[in-house]
Amino acid sequence: MAAVMRLVNRSALSSVMGQHYAAFSSSAKLTATIVPTEAKINLIDMLSESGLPVIEATSFVSPKWVPQMADQVEVMKGISRKPGVSYPVLTPNLKGFQAAVKAGAAEVAIFGAASELFSKKNINCSVDESLQRFDEVMKAAKEAGVPVRGYVSCVVGCPYEGKVAPEKVAHVAKRLYSMGCYEISLGDTIGVGTPGSITAMLEAVSKEVPVSALAVHCHDTYGQALANILVALQMGISVIDSSVAGLGGCPYAQGASGNVATEDVVYMLHGLGIQTGVDLSKLMDAGAFICRTLNRKTSSKVAQATCKL
Amino acid sequence: IYTNLKTPLVRLESLILLEIVPTGVKIQLIDMLSGTGLSVIEATSFVSSKWVPQMADHTDVLRGIQRAPHVRYPVLTPNLQGFQDAVAAGATEVAVFGSASETFSKKNINCSIDESMLRFEEVINTAKERQIPVRGYVSCALGCPHEGDIKPSTVAKVAKRLYEMGCYEISLADTIGVGTPGSMLKMLQGVKKEVPINALAVHCHDTYGQALPNILTALQMGVCVVDSAVAGLGGCPYAQGSSGNVSTEDVLYMLHGMGIETGVNLPKVIEAGYFICNALCRNTNSKVAQAKSRTL
């Protein structure tokens, strides 16, 4: 198991991972209100102070599709970038990429689904076709010297297809990696994975992509996220995606719990003696702030337990 | 390696935290659980009804349930009086509760660990005479609300004492849910030096969301008995604010996903969970149950 971990905080305010923007718009609705730009900036700044090394700042989707992201440029320009921290943004296409770079983005992310049906229902094309679309982005990113992270969604289960074959996940991960993504985040989009299916999937993927270039993004819809993260750690994974306060749901199940809470992940990692560089109490402050702002209860059990004391 | 897994034990004592639950509801819940494939269902607690009025109906519950064949219905018996009442009411298995923390023991039952062991010895010896198996619990195995960290060697000492006195199984409880796979591993390494692993069980609380990874760690170390509570109801009545028991549904989902045979029908457990939550006007703590109810 790695002694040092990198935690990637997925901002629930930008997107739920792996979502193409048709799905994204429904997840954005889960947060109900348009979050004031200032609150977003404040949250990111608080997270920067907590020691997180990677904080997903925003998403360069078209504001026409997703009005909640209309302030993408303002957010990028408004945050105080801490040295040593990266602030990747999602870029679904070349236009988004160009806008992102113009706004100062130094790292971007692209997506692929491991399920054909998911891809078709979401963005109306096959997985292979969707990856071809990203070729433009990859090319432009290489020229600009901007690192690109790849996400794979539905790595153990798909809301339409059911079980997803590990080999399919490996195929998509390999594609993204050979296209030039420096890291591939494997997302259990609907949270159906268990230590059994996660292990099988990671075994297949790690045959095609080095473990050091893999990350996991586990959803907690069935309460399995931490157990799944633990087996991923045992298999050598050292990058974990999560979301402060566990905000951000699964767009396929109304009001479903989605992202695993960063606080709960950090609690587990620290209990294992793993260095994360994260100050848990500052992280909890950030979680408390955003929950107050959104008038939402935290999904983090650590935060709930600490409040009671 | 997991083929020996026994099914989770469901703790009904969780209802201690709540309002007085009608006896009929308790009986119905236990009967529903009896039909799910669970092989051990903790039915009630023979504590003094003066101290714990919610358990005053212990005799009625034990007499009222329909005992399914191949299912055991242990009851808690903190002392000899409770044991005798339990046997009179038809109990065929009992459990005693020790603590790994002196402070917890004193605050909880007003005596030291050693003194509590003497009380349990009485129960265990009497149980032996009647050939009634006794299970032992060690609370605060991964942390105490008063003392903080608890040494694995201390847990091992208490577990060993209970085992040598005659408990057939020792359930190691993370009473306030502070444990992580790190502390679980160390604690089990310590305890299994003194008690065989196949006589150990884990009882993880989910207060900090760590229950499932802790259970996974225990399974990887060879533990094959897991305590849980349907719908994750109830916590420790003596640990302020503890959110409590891990949900049987969520544990089963994980075990089945790992290919472990439990013999338990998950949809039926979910149904029992909905029943008790409706009856108590409470939301389930089980994420699996929540997820399933949304897809209905």
Side-chain angles (χ1 to χ4, degrees), chain B residues 91-139:
Chain B
T92 49
E93 183 173 327
V94 299
V96 295
F97 250 92
S99 172
S101 155
E102 282 294 354
T103 314
F104 191 82
S105 189
K106 291 202 176 95
K107 290 209 176 223
N108 227 20
I109 52 174
N110 232 358
C111 65
S112 70
I113 296 175
D114 279 345
E115 286 164 349
S116 74
M117 292 295 138
L118 293 174
R119 279 187 207 173
F120 301 144
E121 209 165 16
E122 278 191 307
V123 173
I124 294 169
N125 288 339
T126 316
K128 268 184 201 157
E129 285 165 24
R130 293 167 166 271
Q131 296 182 318
I132 288 178
V134 183
R135 194 191 206 223
Y137 283 94
V138 182
S139 58

Side-chain angles (χ1 to χ4, degrees), chain A residues 166-214:
Chain A
E167 295 68 38
K168 180 71 177 181
V169 184
H171 168 79
V172 179
K174 183 179 184 177
R175 264 303 284 283
L176 288 166
Y177 190 65
S178 352
M179 276 161 69
C181 292
Y182 76 91
E183 191 171 88
I184 313 298
S185 175
L186 305 163
D188 179 11
T189 308
I190 49 171
V192 292
T194 63
S197 53
I198 292 286
T199 300
M201 183 275 297
L202 287 174
E203 273 169 3
V205 177
S206 58
K207 286 186 186 141
E208 306 292 348
V209 180
V211 151
S212 55
L214 294 175

Side-chain angles (χ1 to χ4, degrees), chain A:
Chain A
M1 204 179 289
V4 180
M5 307 284 319
R6 218 160 59 92
L7 279 158
V8 176
N9 195 81
R10 296 303 310 275
S11 169
L13 306 176
S14 67
S15 91
V16 175
M17 63 66 55
Q19 306 315 310
H20 309 279
Y21 36 94
F24 166 71
S25 58
S26 60
S27 76
K29 280 180 203 140
L30 286 176
T31 49
T33 48
I34 301 253
V35 182
T37 308
E38 219 176 281
K40 290 184 193 179
I41 290 171
N42 208 0
L43 173 65
I44 294 169
D45 288 348
M46 288 181 87
L47 291 174
S48 296
E49 284 311 306
S50 74
L52 284 164
V54 185
I55 300 164
E56 191 179 276
T58 186
S59 181
F60 280 78
V61 289
S62 159
K64 204 174 49 175
W65 284 100
V66 189
Q68 291 90 329
M69 288 292 128
D71 58 1
Q72 56 206 198
V73 175
E74 236 183 299
V75 168
M76 281 313 284
K77 293 204 165 140
I79 57 178
S80 302
R81 297 198 197 207
K82 196 160 188 225
V85 180
S86 35
Y87 301 89
V89 299
L90 303 179
T91 51
N93 48 39
L94 188 61
K95 191 160 171 217
F97 174 80
Q98 287 160 345
V101 170
K102 196 166 164 208
E107 183 177 327
V108 301
I110 63 171
F111 304 84
S115 152
E116 286 296 345
L117 261 180
F118 188 87
S119 191
K120 289 205 174 90
K121 289 222 175 211
N122 237 14
I123 52 172
N124 234 355
C125 64
S126 74
V127 173
D128 279 347
E129 285 164 349
S130 76
L131 293 177
Q132 268 163 35
R133 287 184 193 178
F134 285 123
D135 270 342
E136 288 185 306
V137 176
M138 292 309 303
K139 213 168 139 197
K142 268 183 199 147
E143 279 168 24
V146 172
V148 183
R149 193 185 204 227
Y151 285 98
V152 184
S153 52
C154 297
V155 297
V156 275
C158 166
Y160 312 109
E161 272 185 20
K163 279 202 184 128
V164 174
E167 295 68 38
K168 180 71 177 181
V169 184
H171 168 79
V172 179
K174 183 179 184 177
R175 264 303 284 283
L176 288 166
Y177 190 65
S178 352
M179 276 161 69
C181 292
Y182 76 91
E183 191 171 88
I184 313 298
S185 175
L186 305 163
D188 179 11
T189 308
I190 49 171
V192 292
T194 63
S197 53
I198 292 286
T199 300
M201 183 275 297
L202 287 174
E203 273 169 3
V205 177
S206 58
K207 286 186 186 141
E208 306 292 348
V209 180
V211 151
S212 55
L214 294 175
V216 290
H217 182 114
C218 299
H219 274 198
D220 204 38
T221 323
Y222 289 78
Q224 308 293 307
L226 287 188
N228 291 342
I229 289 167
L230 181 61
V231 293
L233 295 178
Q234 292 173 340
M235 293 188 71
I237 301 280
S238 55
V239 183
I240 300 168
D241 292 8
S242 59
S243 172
V244 67
L247 291 177
C250 170
Y252 303 99
Q254 196 66 32
S257 78
N259 282 314
V260 66
T262 308
E263 299 93 315
D264 300 359
V265 175
V266 170
Y267 187 90
M268 180 172 81
L269 296 178
H270 288 181
L272 281 162
I274 292 171
Q275 292 202 39
T276 63
V278 177
D279 179 327
L280 182 53
S281 73
K282 285 188 176 164
L283 182 60
M284 288 200 280
D285 286 344
F289 163 75
I290 193 60
C291 288
R292 268 196 316 269
T293 307
L294 296 177
N295 203 18
R296 293 256 311 245
K297 285 199 182 128
T298 181
S299 295
S300 157
K301 284 213 155 174
V302 170
Q304 289 166 22
T306 313
C307 276
K308 288 198 188 106
L309 293 172

